[in-house]
Amino acid sequence: MTDSQMIREIKEGNTELYSELMRRYQRKILAFVYHMLKSAQLEQLAEDLCSETFYKAFRSLHSFREVDASFSTWLYTIARNTVLSELRKQRSGNVPLEESGYVPVAPTEVVPEQAVLRSEKVGMVREAINKLPEKQRSALILREYDQLDYQEIASILGQSVSAVKSLLFRARSSVKSQLEPYFYEPVYEHYEGMKSR
């Protein structure tokens, strides 16, 4: 059954089908919300905001029109607005941000030094993404993590496709320039200073 068929039936009163519709998108929406919350270290709110997204979508399903956007695009838009609203609330309430406690776990066969280095690299990439302006960060997450196409991202962010490409270009350039000092390995020409010893 397609999304459209399910939505039609739900609108006609078969509300039990909504749980199936949720199951189709829950993991993707949860991952998107989680990544959006990382910048404020509020990952622990991801499940609540994901549930809130689906609740808002259900309440507004009667107003959903397929001619305007696909269901998934509409759902991502609700998720993004829900997260942005929560982030504004957190900022205005002056609530101290707590650490999420998330630590990347390395496989047991990995040497401890390698695990530490990998964990540091993951942390640096995450930090670089978190420093991006909100629209660049959202575009990058939707493209790289959720694998959405430019048109879907444009609909979610309320931008043109060319603006999305520009946002992604600036986001990638910014992340690259932030990380270059850490991942650049200098090549010592002729090992200067070594000869004199």
Side-chain angles (χ1 to χ4, degrees):
M1 196 179 259
T2 66
D3 289 354
S4 307
Q5 291 168 325
M6 290 178 95
I7 290 164
R8 205 172 303 117
E9 287 206 27
I10 293 165
K11 284 180 175 181
E12 288 170 5
N14 189 357
T15 54
E16 296 83 35
L17 272 178
Y18 191 67
S19 60
E20 176 56 35
L21 201 55
M22 276 179 66
R23 254 192 303 278
R24 283 186 186 179
Y25 292 100
Q26 195 154 12
R27 285 180 64 197
K28 284 184 173 187
I29 295 297
L30 181 60
F32 173 67
V33 168
Y34 181 84
H35 286 297
M36 291 255 329
L37 290 168
K38 272 186 179 179
S39 64
Q41 296 176 324
L42 292 169
E43 297 99 319
Q44 70 275 9
L45 297 177
E47 286 188 19
D48 290 344
L49 295 185
C50 182
S51 297
E52 190 177 331
T53 296
F54 282 105
Y55 175 69
K56 286 178 179 176
F58 181 72
R59 266 192 5 226
S60 305
L61 201 59
H62 62 278
S63 66
F64 169 70
R65 291 170 9 112
E66 262 188 296
V67 291
D68 299 330
S70 69
F71 178 72
S72 63
T73 301
W74 184 69
L75 199 56
Y76 273 108
T77 305
I78 293 172
R80 178 175 178 263
N81 291 338
T82 301
V83 171
L84 293 177
S85 173
E86 181 61 33
L87 292 175
R88 275 193 296 275
K89 214 186 303 175
Q90 294 284 338
R91 278 191 213 108
S92 66
N94 229 356
V95 178
L97 300 178
E98 296 174 16
E99 289 296 323
S100 69
Y102 170 75
V103 179
V105 180
T108 50
E109 71 272 4
V110 175
V111 181
E113 292 84 5
Q114 289 174 326
V116 169
L117 285 174
R118 186 174 295 135
S119 161
E120 282 179 9
K121 283 182 180 180
V122 167
M124 283 190 280
V125 170
R126 185 168 77 179
E127 194 177 319
I129 292 170
N130 291 343
K131 287 179 183 173
L132 295 172
E134 188 277 321
K135 278 195 177 166
Q136 287 182 28
R137 188 172 64 246
S138 295
L140 195 63
I141 291 167
L142 289 167
R143 183 71 181 161
E144 301 301 332
Y145 291 94
D146 295 320
Q147 305 289 302
L148 298 186
D149 64 36
Y150 295 123
Q151 187 59 59
E152 288 175 303
I153 297 168
S155 297
I156 292 165
L157 299 182
Q159 302 283 317
S160 66
V161 170
S162 59
V164 165
K165 288 179 180 178
S166 177
L167 284 169
L168 286 167
F169 176 78
R170 290 199 308 271
R172 289 176 180 134
S173 297
S174 176
V175 168
K176 184 181 175 196
S177 66
Q178 287 181 64
L179 297 176
E180 255 175 355
Y182 303 103
F183 295 106
Y184 172 71
E185 294 185 16
V187 177
Y188 298 103
E189 283 190 46
H190 309 298
Y191 301 99
E192 284 184 294
M194 299 287 280
K195 296 173 191 168
S196 59
R197 288 184 184 167

